Amino acid sequence: MSTVLLLPRLLVPVRPRLQVLEQMAVVIEGEFISAVLPRSEAFTRYADAIHIELPEHVLVPGFINMHTHSAMTLLRGYADDLNLQVWLNDHIWPVEKAFLSPGFVHDGVRLAIAEMLRCGTTCFNDLYFFPEVAAATAVETGMRACIGLPVIDVPTVWAADEHEYIDKGLQVSASWQNEPLITTVFAPHAPYSVDNTALQRIAELSDSLGLRVHMHVLESSWEVAESMRRHGKSTLDRLDDVGLLNERLLAVHMTQLNQDDLDTIARTTVNVIHCPESNLKLGNGICPVAKLLGLDVNLALGTDGAASNNNLDLLAEARSAALLAKGYAADPCALNAFQALEMLTINAARALGKEHQLGSVEAGKLADLCAIRLDTLQTTPMYDVVSHLIYAVSSQQVSHVWVGGRMLLQDKKFLCMDDSDIMQRANDWAKRITSKTRAMRSREYKFHE
Ligand SMILES: [Zn+2]
């Protein structure tokens, strides 16, 4: 096993908090960071190590995308400028019904992983059909993934009803349990699309197996009214009744929160996954980030799928989150740059129950890392590198990425994937989809003859 010394200009380890370090070495041995120490000491202690010089770079923990539907990269730009229910019922679900298959998921996930790696993401929390294909694709590309075991009351080619979804999910979970890059979690689609019996079974299994539960919750005002109409109680009261409100829940969106909801979230230590760009694009509302932070709620960030964002760029998401939190709270101190960086890294690790393994650059943690170039016009001059990371850096400055000690991106070049093949396959899918579904499209542009 060779030892590698990473020698960045600056290191922002995230833990300990608020540190910016110079003249440091990060030592990688196998999958892990074995030490973070001054260079002079590292050169003596690890005399035979391989050196990787990063003279114009800041080294940070790899980013964790806490909510996406990675295969939906193939539907990027397919239907836009629509409200959530119309977007899902009239556009996304019909096209998925026509094209959903293992091949679709493989090619979509591979495109997503390529895009995410380029943006410094080293782990993604996925919610989609054919989770076994997503897991295999992540392992094939060297990416770390938290794979959702989907459950929804809509039959698909993957499963016929909620109980078959759960049973198949359990098989997928068991078959990937020894793969270090893969974690599995339950992924019931949303409170309005999974019934009480299935939610209760998921809560019991989550408790006995220790698996987390990843779910869209309180995404739109329609969902608030629908819960009262169908169940006579609020969404969070219903989830509490079935036993889902606890530290294992990854509640995505949460744009519709009243004071009772805020108190319930704080009391039950639910994790909130904020997807500001998807919420804005679908006009769904705004998650009250400043209030949640004030209640010590654990908050992390997701891009959502590329069909509702329309990119998987977490640095851009963090910038949007910081700006939106300030605008919404009318407080420029709401969600500062370091807090936004924590949402991309250590808070996400905590939400996944992996705070001891991921989310910071510390000895003993997995070597999931990202190096970002600082010698660009848009990051010159530099007074505060954390400010730059959130407010000025573009993801195009991401140059190197490591997952579990393995370098996957070097000087912006993939070491494990072929961009042109990935794009070719995605374009082939778009041709097939376009030729079959023109009638389903939201809008047809008129061309003058
Ligand atoms: Zn989503």
Side-chain angles (χ1 to χ4, degrees), residues 373-444:
R373 289 198 78 106
L374 296 168
D375 56 340
T376 66
L377 292 172
Q378 72 210 59
T379 41
T380 304
M382 186 174 69
Y383 303 102
D384 175 350
V385 69
V386 176
S387 160
H388 270 10
L389 282 169
I390 301 303
Y391 300 122
V393 160
S394 141
S395 60
Q396 293 188 2
Q397 290 167 245
V398 170
S399 65
H400 295 64
V401 172
W402 295 260
V403 175
R406 181 177 167 204
M407 194 194 287
L408 300 182
L409 189 74
Q410 180 179 35
D411 283 320
K412 300 191 184 185
K413 290 195 179 62
F414 287 122
L415 301 181
C416 57
M417 280 190 274
D418 174 358
D419 316 36
S420 53
D421 179 56
I422 290 170
M423 288 193 282
Q424 178 64 50
R425 282 174 184 249
N427 286 329
D428 289 347
W429 279 106
K431 269 185 214 148
R432 269 176 266 171
I433 289 169
T434 308
S435 65
K436 270 206 180 172
T437 63
R438 203 166 273 284
M440 303 197 292
R441 298 302 303 277
S442 59
R443 121 189 106 192
E444 294 292 338

Side-chain angles (χ1 to χ4, degrees), residues 83-86 88-89 93 153 189-194 216 218-231 233 235 238 255-256 282-285:
N83 92 42
L84 176 64
Q85 295 307 315
V86 174
L88 278 176
N89 293 318
W93 286 347
D153 64 1
H189 173 263
Y192 59 83
S193 54
V194 184
H216 302 101
L218 291 171
E219 181 171 6
S220 71
S221 56
W222 173 86
E223 184 182 334
V224 176
E226 185 70 1
S227 182
M228 292 309 293
R229 189 182 71 78
R230 273 166 58 181
H231 305 285
K233 58 178 76 166
T235 296
R238 183 170 157 242
T255 71
Q256 310 288 324
L282 288 160
N284 275 335

Side-chain angles (χ1 to χ4, degrees), residues 43-116:
F43 295 155
T44 321
R45 260 174 66 183
Y46 303 94
D48 299 328
I50 297 162
H51 290 195
I52 297 183
E53 299 281 353
L54 299 163
E56 302 293 348
H57 305 66
V58 56
L59 189 71
V60 293
F63 306 133
I64 303 175
N65 189 348
M66 282 300 292
H67 177 64
T68 191
H69 312 279
S70 52
M72 293 179 81
T73 45
L74 295 182
L75 300 176
R76 192 195 318 266
Y78 175 74
D80 299 309
D81 310 332
L82 296 163
N83 92 42
L84 176 64
Q85 295 307 315
V86 174
W87 180 76
L88 278 176
N89 293 318
D90 299 351
H91 300 276
I92 296 301
W93 286 347
V95 73
E96 285 181 336
K97 196 171 173 196
F99 289 95
L100 187 62
S101 64
F104 179 94
V105 172
H106 174 266
D107 292 346
V109 170
R110 214 165 51 122
L111 172 60
I113 289 173
E115 182 183 353
M116 287 191 279

